[in-house]
Amino acid sequence: MPKVRTKQRSGADLQLAPTVIAMRLPMMALECLASKTKGPETTRAVSEKVAAIMDGTVSA
């Protein structure tokens, strides 16, 4: 029977989070100033957070 490998998160993954936030916040701020509708960056960020919450809930 083959072993099932689970994805291991490394410390390098956690170090990238502040960089991603620093890149996305200015784009999201510009989207807020430009129009009243949701922009693609805001939609992408929110959908990723919802997927992460679901993944964490199922894992727990």
Side-chain angles (χ1 to χ4, degrees):
M1 182 189 283
K3 285 187 174 182
V4 177
R5 292 185 185 189
T6 59
K7 182 178 178 182
Q8 297 291 325
R9 296 190 190 248
S10 66
D13 290 344
L14 298 176
Q15 293 174 352
L16 291 176
T19 305
V20 172
I21 292 169
M23 290 185 329
R24 283 188 165 175
L25 281 178
M27 289 187 281
M28 291 172 66
L30 288 174
E31 286 178 355
C32 290
L33 295 174
S35 68
K36 292 184 179 181
T37 61
K38 294 182 288 188
E41 186 64 27
T42 303
T43 304
R44 188 177 309 117
V46 171
S47 65
E48 287 176 356
K49 299 304 174 257
V50 171
I53 289 169
M54 294 300 295
D55 186 36
T57 302
V58 169
S59 295

